[in-house]
Amino acid sequence: MPTAITPSSSDPTLATYRCPIGRLTLAARGGALVGLWVAGQRFFGHPFVVDEAVAASAQSVSSLDGSGRDAGLGRDEDAAALAAAASWLDDYFAWRVPSPARVPLSPMGSEFQLRVWEAMSAIPYGHTMTYGQLAYRLREAGIPASAQAVGGAVARNPLLLIRPCHRVVASTGPGGYAAGGDAKAWLLAHEAATASSLS
């Protein structure tokens, strides 16, 4: 039986979510989602020190009611953020195109990383952009960036799926993905199928 992960005042509240690409760990702090990682992901728990084995024992976010209230998840504001993220994920995996604006987000990273993640979020659903194209877009906005630097920031994206790092690809193919090549391929195919059905 899953147990609640009761955080200290500085630790995020954790919950789990099962989906087609694996077990996700969601982290909320201060009423906003600060982390969304898949089991086995490179940089799991970054920038927090979240132990993957401990995170696996967190309560399933699917046990929340619509308001996000559940005594086992601790702080109501964090439970509400986790419920919003779960609702977003439910819609995403049910072939709908949910807006990331539905989920309060507060990622932690360097100023450069935050700018890359913001630019990455502008890639439309069902589309991709290369690391080089993303670097060019940043340079146009006055932010010095190379494709390699963008790749490093994309790999450390703490909000998998909602901040769509899977939509950033190499010029020669899909490129790497912190959650693995199979997960990236599945997500890109899922979005392509959904986007084509919306036309």
Side-chain angles (χ1 to χ4, degrees):
M1 174 174 194
T3 58
I5 304 298
T6 306
S8 72
S9 61
S10 63
D11 291 334
T13 302
L14 304 177
T16 61
Y17 182 97
R18 292 264 177 203
C19 71
I21 65 167
R23 185 190 71 247
L24 301 177
T25 296
L26 293 79
R29 187 172 75 172
L33 194 69
V34 295
L36 177 58
W37 310 283
V38 69
Q41 174 181 334
R42 190 171 30 138
F43 305 115
F44 183 96
H46 175 83
F48 302 96
V49 183
V50 175
D51 180 83
E52 191 169 348
V54 172
S57 67
Q59 182 174 345
S60 170
V61 75
S62 64
S63 65
L64 295 171
D65 67 23
S67 69
R69 294 189 180 277
D70 184 294
L73 280 174
R75 296 184 286 266
D76 282 349
E77 63 183 6
D78 290 348
L82 293 170
S87 174
W88 188 95
L89 290 165
D90 287 344
D91 283 350
Y92 180 86
F93 288 113
W95 305 92
R96 292 186 282 276
V97 184
S99 168
R102 292 174 30 191
V103 183
L105 303 176
S106 185
M108 291 177 54
S110 69
E111 182 63 31
F112 178 74
Q113 288 171 334
L114 293 171
R115 296 300 293 266
V116 169
W117 301 335
E118 183 180 316
M120 183 175 67
S121 294
I123 302 170
Y125 185 97
H127 295 83
T128 59
M129 182 177 285
T130 68
Y131 297 99
Q133 290 169 325
L134 197 54
Y136 179 77
R137 181 177 281 183
L138 289 165
R139 288 193 304 270
E140 281 188 319
I143 303 160
S146 67
Q148 185 176 12
V150 165
V154 168
R156 286 169 178 78
N157 171 28
L159 294 168
L160 198 71
L161 303 173
I162 294 177
R163 289 282 170 100
C165 49
H166 58 280
R167 295 181 194 154
V168 184
V169 298
S171 59
T172 57
Y177 189 51
D182 290 343
K184 186 170 190 170
W186 190 95
L187 293 167
L188 292 174
H190 172 77
E191 290 192 7
T194 305
S196 64
S197 69
L198 295 173
S199 301

